[in-house]
Amino acid sequence: MSLRKYLVGGNWKSNGSMAFAKSFTNDVLNKLAFDPKNVDVVVSPTNLHLPAVQANIGNNVNIATQNISLTGPGAFTGEVSACMAQDAGIRYTLTGHSERRSLFGESDADVATKTKNGLMFDMTVLLCIGEQLAEREGGVTNDVNARQLAAVREQVDDWSNIVIAYEPVWAIGTGKVATPEVAQETHAAIREWLAANVSKEAADGTRILYGGSVSDANAAELITQPDIDGFLVGGASLKPAFHQIVAACNEHKA
Ligand code: PGA
């Protein structure tokens, strides 16, 4: 079992409504069964719905932005900067989600800059990395992850507030979850990369989450792997199943 505190993140993507944000917070998030000593829980609604969740949520669940801007405040229409997120009391952000990379053209360097910006404003950054199906089939998964991580290493020295979310793109939203063995092997390779390129402390201390079709049916088995420190959950984070996923991590740690 991992020695690190687990983290379970819920990424709502571009889903939800004001009514959903309030009812899901009251009915599911405020009834999650976990000890915050074992597990950090972080939910990431859209920026429009964040205040409704923030206003209704209990103390033990944290909130995150799904994205932050490459820039500081200023004439950047449509963007929300890390400085504003911090001012709004938001302590976590995602960066580099595969949808940001593939649908919105974010480069490895962009993701690195966004990660640096979040860290600069005292946010914990959930840095998402992962390979496409063709890259997995071509045997270059570890090279792709290393490339994405190396771009961050160029801009960031202190990794203590980075959480890595390994999300194979072929597993996101497809129902094709990585097997525990495949996820463990890749997480171990990421940890080796941290040891070689950041520090032994970063390799030992950095939480590496698995994401991609995590559900109440597979979470309990995946979390038994020694290098899996929690999950980043998409679809199932909008359903009552999120309760079981958090509970599975809490039980395994307890
Ligand atoms: P999924 O998404 O759980 O719906 O596969 C995961 C993610 O995109 O973070």
Side-chain angles (χ1 to χ4, degrees):
M1 179 178 79
S2 157
L3 298 174
R4 294 159 291 271
K5 185 178 179 182
Y6 289 151
L7 189 149
V8 180
N11 173 12
W12 289 12
K13 310 192 179 185
S14 198
N15 293 298
S17 64
M18 293 304 279
F20 174 84
K22 286 181 198 156
S23 65
F24 194 81
T25 301
N26 290 328
D27 299 346
V28 178
L29 298 177
N30 285 342
K31 294 183 181 154
L32 293 173
F34 71 101
D35 182 339
K37 286 207 240 20
N38 298 333
V39 190
D40 288 320
V41 178
V42 183
V43 290
S44 192
T46 70
N47 286 347
L48 276 182
H49 300 132
L50 264 169
V53 174
Q54 194 174 23
N56 289 288
I57 200 111
N59 287 335
N60 289 336
V61 177
N62 300 286
I63 50 177
T65 46
Q66 297 174 10
N67 179 31
I68 46 170
S69 75
L70 272 173
T71 61
F76 304 105
T77 302
E79 294 295 298
V80 171
S81 71
C83 153
M84 290 167 182
Q86 183 200 42
D87 178 58
I90 298 159
R91 308 298 312 279
Y92 289 79
T93 188
L94 311 187
T95 58
H97 189 279
S98 74
E99 287 148 19
R100 299 296 322 164
R101 293 176 189 265
S102 66
L103 302 176
F104 300 99
E106 289 189 11
S107 67
D108 294 342
D110 292 340
V111 173
T113 302
K114 290 182 173 202
T115 302
K116 184 181 72 181
N117 290 351
L119 296 173
M120 210 188 309
F121 288 94
D122 296 327
M123 301 179 89
T124 296
V125 177
L126 275 55
L127 164 65
C128 305
I129 62 168
E131 83 287 3
Q132 311 268 349
L133 180 60
E135 294 167 332
R136 163 72 54 184
E137 288 174 350
V140 294
T141 295
N142 293 341
D143 301 326
V144 171
N145 288 335
R147 190 198 74 221
Q148 294 178 351
L149 292 167
V152 176
R153 183 70 186 91
E154 275 185 32
Q155 298 196 41
V156 175
D157 292 327
D158 180 356
W159 284 54
S160 49
N161 288 324
I162 293 182
V163 176
I164 296 171
Y166 167 61
E167 302 203 295
V169 179
W170 46 268
I172 294 179
T174 58
K176 288 188 200 146
V177 65
T179 63
E181 294 71 28
V182 163
Q184 167 56 30
E185 187 184 53
T186 311
H187 283 221
I190 292 167
R191 220 173 276 296
E192 273 171 36
W193 184 92
L194 288 169
N197 296 280
V198 184
S199 64
K200 161 109 176 60
E201 291 71 42
D204 290 343
T206 302
R207 290 177 285 182
I208 306 177
L209 316 181
Y210 168 78
S213 296
V214 173
S215 72
D216 48 339
N218 54 42
E221 197 188 356
L222 283 161
I223 201 62
T224 62
Q225 299 300 312
D227 287 301
I228 297 184
D229 305 313
F231 301 115
L232 185 55
V233 185
S237 76
L238 294 153
K239 301 191 183 129
F242 194 60
H243 182 101
Q244 275 79 46
I245 297 169
V246 171
C249 292
N250 186 63
E251 273 160 34
H252 195 255
K253 179 60 87 182

